Amino acid sequence: FLNEDGKLRHNNLSATAVFVTEAGVWKLADLGYVTELNAIYPTKDSYTHKYDPPEIVKSRSGPVSSPWAIDSWGLGILVWEVYNGKIVEAQNLKKINNIPSNLKPIYCEMVAAKAEKRPSTISILKRCSQHGEYFSNILIKTLSFLEEIHLKAKEDINIFFKDLMPLLEKIPKNVAQHLVFQQIIRAYEFGNEGSYLVPPFFKNLRIHG
């Protein structure tokens, strides 16, 4: 959203720029270095320089040739830190043993030395959402459906709620309780089929009661 719709650049993506809610939702923070997408790279505190992509390390005051590539690099740092802990220096990014196998190929593209080789953040998300890729899982599919439930056909909603009850056991408890359950209630309030909501309600209460 930031790059594509807002035409903005975060410029400091890493694990320290993300906080996670009780429901397991990731929120982007640390917005002090946000600029317009095509703006020159901002002056940053020295302790953040370890997050800078190679082209910025070479020239901190020159024009940015591939604006999206800066946040793609930062997204790569975020991925690395999720599986390895806090990064100390850019050389750490070459250690990829802990990164899931279906994420390694696109991760390597994110942290490519040449900016023009890095995919845009939106293309990263799209590719990771394809069948068999990192975001192609029960949790993401369930949350995506609930977020777009007002756009779904009645028969699709009925099928979804029929299948939801057994899926709750496979979803992290905090996410099921604070996000999925709340989305189900919201769906009911907006008038979607109520008969399929009752079993998931009780299933959720039994799991978290």
Side-chain angles (χ1 to χ4, degrees):
F1 170 80
L2 199 67
N3 289 170
E4 294 294 318
D5 297 330
K7 304 302 179 187
L8 299 172
R9 212 174 57 225
H10 188 278
N11 294 309
N12 201 42
L13 276 175
S14 68
T16 60
V18 174
F19 68 91
V20 184
T21 69
E22 188 177 28
V25 177
W26 289 32
K27 300 285 187 178
L28 188 60
D30 195 13
L31 303 176
Y33 296 117
V34 170
T35 64
E36 292 183 355
L37 192 61
N38 293 302
I40 62 172
Y41 198 70
T43 301
K44 296 168 59 178
D45 292 330
S46 58
Y47 73 89
T48 69
H49 288 176
K50 62 183 178 182
Y51 300 127
D52 292 341
E55 65 272 20
I56 299 301
V57 173
K58 291 179 181 178
S59 176
R60 296 188 182 279
S61 58
V64 177
S65 59
S66 303
W68 71 88
I70 291 175
D71 282 351
S72 296
W73 173 271
L75 195 55
I77 288 178
L78 173 60
V79 168
W80 192 92
E81 290 190 325
V82 165
Y83 291 101
N84 295 279
K86 199 169 185 178
I87 192 172
V88 176
E89 58 182 0
Q91 289 297 317
N92 296 152
L93 298 174
K94 295 180 180 180
K95 301 175 182 178
I96 63 174
N97 290 342
N98 293 339
I99 295 175
S101 58
N102 60 350
L103 194 54
K104 283 180 181 177
I106 198 164
Y107 162 78
C108 290
E109 293 181 38
M110 292 183 215
V111 295
K114 293 184 178 180
E116 62 271 17
K117 297 289 186 181
R118 296 177 213 138
S120 66
T121 49
I122 189 66
S123 68
I124 291 169
L125 294 176
K126 286 181 178 179
R127 286 170 57 184
C128 286
S129 299
Q130 293 174 357
H131 180 72
E133 297 299 329
Y134 186 73
F135 289 143
S136 179
N137 57 63
I138 290 172
L139 176 59
I140 298 296
K141 289 178 179 178
T142 300
L143 297 180
S144 296
F145 190 97
L146 285 169
E147 286 180 358
E148 300 175 354
I149 197 167
H150 59 288
L151 303 174
K152 302 296 184 180
K154 183 177 179 179
E155 55 270 25
D156 292 333
I157 294 172
N158 290 346
I159 293 171
F160 172 79
F161 283 121
K162 276 184 177 179
D163 296 338
L164 181 59
M165 188 167 66
L167 293 182
L168 289 177
E169 293 182 341
K170 300 179 181 180
I171 293 175
K173 289 185 177 181
N174 65 308
V175 177
Q177 183 175 16
H178 297 290
L179 185 58
V180 176
F181 197 42
Q182 297 304 316
Q183 290 279 39
I184 292 173
I185 294 173
R186 192 171 294 112
Y188 180 75
E189 290 174 344
F190 278 97
N192 291 307
E193 289 300 297
S195 60
Y196 299 108
L197 296 173
V198 177
F201 275 1
F202 283 103
K203 183 71 171 180
N204 191 285
L205 288 173
R206 185 171 67 82
I207 292 173
H208 302 289

